[in-house]
PDB file of all heavy atoms in Angstrom:
ATOM      1  N   GLY X  60      17.452  28.147  74.784  1.00 93.00           N
ATOM      2  CA  GLY X  60      15.993  28.216  74.826  1.00 93.00           C
ATOM      3  C   GLY X  60      15.332  28.591  73.517  1.00 93.00           C
ATOM      4  O   GLY X  60      14.100  28.644  73.437  1.00 93.00           O
ATOM      5  N   SER X  66      17.040  20.514  59.194  1.00 94.00           N
ATOM      6  CA  SER X  66      18.449  20.160  59.328  1.00 94.00           C
ATOM      7  C   SER X  66      19.381  21.089  58.550  1.00 94.00           C
ATOM      8  O   SER X  66      20.453  21.458  59.050  1.00 94.00           O
ATOM      9  CB  SER X  66      18.691  18.703  58.908  1.00 94.00           C
ATOM     10  OG  SER X  66      18.459  18.513  57.545  1.00 94.00           O
ATOM     11  N   ILE X  82      32.916  24.603  58.915  1.00 83.00           N
ATOM     12  CA  ILE X  82      32.531  23.389  58.190  1.00 83.00           C
ATOM     13  C   ILE X  82      31.831  23.705  56.869  1.00 83.00           C
ATOM     14  O   ILE X  82      31.630  22.820  56.047  1.00 83.00           O
ATOM     15  CB  ILE X  82      31.665  22.456  59.065  1.00 83.00           C
ATOM     16  CG1 ILE X  82      30.567  23.224  59.771  1.00 83.00           C
ATOM     17  CG2 ILE X  82      32.533  21.710  60.066  1.00 83.00           C
ATOM     18  CD1 ILE X  82      29.678  22.380  60.655  1.00 83.00           C
ATOM     19  N   ARG X  94      26.502  24.779  49.088  1.00 93.00           N
ATOM     20  CA  ARG X  94      25.050  24.781  49.324  1.00 93.00           C
ATOM     21  C   ARG X  94      24.323  24.064  48.192  1.00 93.00           C
ATOM     22  O   ARG X  94      23.365  23.323  48.424  1.00 93.00           O
ATOM     23  CB  ARG X  94      24.540  26.215  49.434  1.00 93.00           C
ATOM     24  CG  ARG X  94      24.814  26.902  50.766  1.00 93.00           C
ATOM     25  CD  ARG X  94      23.953  28.157  50.858  1.00 93.00           C
ATOM     26  NE  ARG X  94      24.190  28.871  52.094  1.00 93.00           N
ATOM     27  CZ  ARG X  94      24.769  30.073  52.173  1.00 93.00           C
ATOM     28  NH1 ARG X  94      25.211  30.662  51.071  1.00 93.00           N
ATOM     29  NH2 ARG X  94      24.916  30.678  53.333  1.00 93.00           N
ATOM     30  N   GLY X 116       7.800  -2.902  40.740  1.00 94.00           N
ATOM     31  CA  GLY X 116       7.376  -2.902  39.340  1.00 94.00           C
ATOM     32  C   GLY X 116       7.903  -1.743  38.525  1.00 94.00           C
ATOM     33  O   GLY X 116       9.069  -1.340  38.632  1.00 94.00           O
ATOM     34  N   THR X 127      20.404   5.950  39.252  1.00 98.00           N
ATOM     35  CA  THR X 127      21.629   5.711  38.485  1.00 98.00           C
ATOM     36  C   THR X 127      22.163   7.013  37.911  1.00 98.00           C
ATOM     37  O   THR X 127      23.377   7.276  37.960  1.00 98.00           O
ATOM     38  CB  THR X 127      21.363   4.699  37.360  1.00 98.00           C
ATOM     39  OG1 THR X 127      20.977   3.444  37.943  1.00 98.00           O
ATOM     40  CG2 THR X 127      22.595   4.493  36.494  1.00 98.00           C
ATOM     41  N   PHE X 142      36.842  14.401  48.813  1.00 92.00           N
ATOM     42  CA  PHE X 142      35.552  14.766  49.385  1.00 92.00           C
ATOM     43  C   PHE X 142      34.870  15.767  48.462  1.00 92.00           C
ATOM     44  O   PHE X 142      35.459  16.271  47.516  1.00 92.00           O
ATOM     45  CB  PHE X 142      35.721  15.386  50.774  1.00 92.00           C
ATOM     46  CG  PHE X 142      36.252  14.436  51.815  1.00 92.00           C
ATOM     47  CD1 PHE X 142      37.515  14.629  52.364  1.00 92.00           C
ATOM     48  CD2 PHE X 142      35.498  13.367  52.258  1.00 92.00           C
ATOM     49  CE1 PHE X 142      38.016  13.763  53.323  1.00 92.00           C
ATOM     50  CE2 PHE X 142      35.986  12.495  53.214  1.00 92.00           C
ATOM     51  CZ  PHE X 142      37.247  12.688  53.749  1.00 92.00           C
ATOM     52  N   LEU X 172      18.281  -4.788  45.921  1.00 95.00           N
ATOM     53  CA  LEU X 172      18.661  -3.970  44.774  1.00 95.00           C
ATOM     54  C   LEU X 172      20.176  -3.858  44.667  1.00 95.00           C
ATOM     55  O   LEU X 172      20.901  -4.073  45.642  1.00 95.00           O
ATOM     56  CB  LEU X 172      18.058  -2.563  44.904  1.00 95.00           C
ATOM     57  CG  LEU X 172      16.539  -2.463  44.974  1.00 95.00           C
ATOM     58  CD1 LEU X 172      16.107  -1.018  45.208  1.00 95.00           C
ATOM     59  CD2 LEU X 172      15.895  -2.995  43.693  1.00 95.00           C
ATOM     60  N   LYS X 203      25.431  -0.684  62.546  1.00 96.00           N
ATOM     61  CA  LYS X 203      24.849  -1.257  61.340  1.00 96.00           C
ATOM     62  C   LYS X 203      23.829  -2.346  61.644  1.00 96.00           C
ATOM     63  O   LYS X 203      22.760  -2.392  61.020  1.00 96.00           O
ATOM     64  CB  LYS X 203      25.949  -1.825  60.432  1.00 96.00           C
ATOM     65  CG  LYS X 203      25.405  -2.304  59.088  1.00 96.00           C
ATOM     66  CD  LYS X 203      26.518  -2.746  58.153  1.00 96.00           C
ATOM     67  CE  LYS X 203      25.937  -3.200  56.808  1.00 96.00           C
ATOM     68  NZ  LYS X 203      27.006  -3.654  55.877  1.00 96.00           N
ATOM     69  N   GLN X 211      14.645  -3.477  58.651  1.00 96.00           N
ATOM     70  CA  GLN X 211      14.043  -4.763  58.311  1.00 96.00           C
ATOM     71  C   GLN X 211      12.640  -4.868  58.894  1.00 96.00           C
ATOM     72  O   GLN X 211      11.708  -5.359  58.235  1.00 96.00           O
ATOM     73  CB  GLN X 211      14.901  -5.907  58.844  1.00 96.00           C
ATOM     74  CG  GLN X 211      14.350  -7.302  58.533  1.00 96.00           C
ATOM     75  CD  GLN X 211      14.382  -7.615  57.044  1.00 96.00           C
ATOM     76  OE1 GLN X 211      15.449  -7.694  56.454  1.00 96.00           O
ATOM     77  NE2 GLN X 211      13.224  -7.798  56.442  1.00 96.00           N
TER      78      GLN X 211
END
Side-chain angles (χ1 to χ4, degrees):
S66 66
I82 47 180
R94 282 194 181 112
T127 297
F142 294 113
L172 300 176
K203 186 175 181 181
Q211 180 67 64

